Amino acid sequence: KARLTSFACTNVIEMPLSKFQKIEKINDDEIIVTADVRDTVDLTHWIFSLGSNITVLEPEFLKQNIAQMIIQMGENYK
């Protein structure tokens, strides 16, 4: 489950993450996408490719893994 900005929503509408993805419009600028997908390197790359246009909400382990990678990346630039 993730929150995406309007910039990123076209991405999941045109190229769904799974056959059973659900899209919920929050407002004109954001959507929530829920989809069952495997935790793979490709998924992580896709998340990072959207930069600040995505926020992983669930599952908690994926949210924490992404957050930890972001912290580590920030440390590289200090």
Side-chain angles (χ1 to χ4, degrees):
K1 186 173 193 177
R3 183 175 61 240
L4 284 80
T5 66
S6 57
F7 174 81
C9 22
T10 304
N11 192 318
V12 295
I13 292 169
E14 292 178 358
M15 296 174 48
L17 294 168
S18 87
K19 289 181 183 180
F20 305 106
Q21 120 180 338
K22 179 183 169 189
I23 297 176
E24 174 188 349
K25 186 175 181 179
I26 298 175
N27 56 48
D28 289 340
D29 298 321
E30 295 180 309
I31 63 169
I32 298 283
V33 175
T34 305
D36 288 331
V37 295
R38 291 180 180 209
D39 180 20
T40 64
V41 172
D42 289 337
L43 176 62
T44 301
H45 286 211
W46 179 78
I47 291 168
F48 277 103
S49 76
L50 295 175
S52 63
N53 294 295
I54 186 169
T55 303
V56 174
L57 304 173
E58 294 176 9
E60 188 63 29
F61 79 88
L62 180 59
K63 179 180 174 180
Q64 293 303 317
N65 287 350
I66 296 296
Q68 187 60 41
M69 286 183 218
I70 292 167
I71 290 167
Q72 290 171 350
M73 288 167 53
E75 290 296 318
N76 291 343
Y77 293 91
K78 287 188 175 185

